[in-house]
Amino acid sequence: MAHTLKITDIEEVTHDVRKITFEKPEGFEFEPGQATEVAIDKEGWRDEKRPFTFTSLNDEDHLQFVIKVYPDHDGVTEQIGKLKVGDSLIIDEPWGTIQYKGEGVFLAGGAGVTPFIAILRDLYKKGKISGNKLIFSNKTEKDIILKDEFETMLGDQFVNVITDEKPKGDHIFLDGFIDKDFLASQIDDFDQPFYVCGPMPFNESVMGYLKELGADPEALVFEE
Ligand SMILES: Cc1cc2nc3c(=O)[nH]c(=O)nc-3n(C[C@H](O)[C@H](O)[C@H](O)COP(=O)(O)OP(=O)(O)OC[C@H]3O[C@@H](n4cnc5c(N)ncnc54)[C@H](O)[C@@H]3O)c2cc1C
């Protein structure tokens, strides 16, 4: 069943990422990591559906997405970047993407971190986040989504990788691309759950290295 829901707040997370908070329908339930099809409630856009992941938690009285805007796609996210409080989104029922299977290593490329946000927030809230690690790759430091929140939740188990500039921040460990040696230096145990989400090239290379190191990773391809 489709729900048309009013936006109650829009926050800038980075230069091209928005946190969008909106109404929650009565009785609407979902699991951390689940996504839904989303359209914009405007003439010409109601049939253009794209998947986004809930970043709020089930027990909160609102829904939230963290969305990266791609102005050069001339698509839905460009329009999302222009939305204002009071505009509406149309969402469908939730469906599964990546499921938490226990303490492990999360590897994200750019906006590919979004399916991990609710999972990590949920674990943090329950006091069960220890034993998990997030390795987060971005082009530049200003692209890092929710850096302060991940630092608070994960402490030194939050590792940043910066590919396109010389990193300056104190939480930046690698200047370059994730490779097998880097993974071997960061991870002791390859017999634990691995959760990978990012653009296709990120997933392919990271999954390849993880498998060579003996892991059995689960992946979600975020964009082709
Ligand atoms: C299960 C799932 C959950 C997701 N959750 C989130 C989320 O929570 N937050 C989030 O930000 N994103 C999320 N995404 C990604 C999000 O769905 C896409 O970013 C979105 O669909 C893009 O829509 P669009 O209309 O702006 O672009 P589209 O026009 O739909 O473009 C889609 C793809 O086409 C290609 N493309 C089109 N035009 C161009 C161009 N000009 N240059 C380069 N490439 C181009 C790209 O590969 C692009 O990813 C999720 C994806 C999946 C599969």
Side-chain angles (χ1 to χ4, degrees):
M1 192 179 105
H3 306 274
T4 303
L5 304 164
K6 241 186 195 83
I7 296 172
T8 53
D9 191 53
I10 300 176
E11 247 180 78
E12 203 163 285
V13 176
T14 71
H15 60 104
D16 58 3
V17 176
R18 305 281 175 273
K19 183 156 83 182
I20 300 189
T21 306
F22 55 102
E23 297 170 330
K24 182 178 179 177
E26 192 84 23
F28 192 86
E29 301 224 344
F30 60 94
E31 296 292 322
Q34 283 193 318
T36 190
E37 298 296 320
V38 182
I40 296 170
D41 185 28
K42 283 195 175 161
E43 202 56 46
W45 290 99
R46 292 187 183 97
D47 295 326
E48 289 290 328
K49 296 180 182 175
R50 301 288 189 277
F52 295 101
T53 322
F54 297 107
T55 51
S56 49
L57 299 180
N58 214 10
D59 58 5
E60 291 172 316
D61 62 0
H62 57 268
L63 296 173
Q64 187 194 83
F65 293 131
V66 171
I67 294 183
K68 180 169 173 184
V69 173
Y70 296 92
D72 56 346
H73 290 193
D74 299 324
V76 173
T77 63
E78 183 191 25
Q79 295 303 315
I80 286 175
K82 295 177 183 169
L83 292 177
K84 306 227 167 357
V85 169
D87 289 339
S88 295
L89 297 174
I90 305 166
I91 71 161
D92 276 337
E93 294 305 313
W95 43 269
T97 56
I98 279 197
Q99 236 185 344
Y100 185 65
K101 296 205 173 90
E103 285 171 23
V105 183
F106 294 82
L107 294 116
V113 80
T114 48
F116 302 155
I117 295 174
I119 293 175
L120 294 171
R121 282 180 173 170
D122 182 52
L123 291 170
Y124 183 67
K125 202 165 171 179
K126 291 177 176 157
K128 290 186 173 165
I129 200 166
S130 74
N132 288 285
K133 183 177 193 125
L134 172 62
I135 300 178
F136 191 11
S137 177
N138 282 283
K139 286 187 180 141
T140 70
E141 287 185 58
K142 72 175 176 27
D143 295 320
I144 304 172
I145 295 172
L146 303 179
K147 181 166 182 279
D148 293 347
E149 185 176 345
F150 288 132
E151 271 171 11
T152 303
M153 293 196 294
L154 288 154
D156 62 4
Q157 296 305 299
F158 175 42
V159 176
N160 280 283
V161 174
I162 298 294
T163 58
D164 284 19
E165 68 180 13
K166 251 214 134 26
K168 295 181 282 299
D170 50 0
H171 250 83
I172 311 293
F173 284 72
L174 183 77
D175 150 27
F177 287 83
I178 292 175
D179 58 17
K180 197 172 160 184
D181 288 346
F182 174 76
L183 290 173
S185 73
Q186 287 292 324
I187 300 160
D188 300 329
D189 174 14
F190 286 91
D191 192 22
Q192 59 177 323
F194 284 84
Y195 310 94
V196 180
C197 185
M200 185 72 101
F202 175 89
N203 280 25
E204 277 176 358
S205 63
V206 169
M207 299 285 284
Y209 297 134
L210 287 172
K211 283 178 188 161
E212 284 172 32
L213 289 159
D216 180 18
E218 191 188 338
L220 171 65
V221 174
F222 214 57
E223 41 184 89
E224 298 301 314

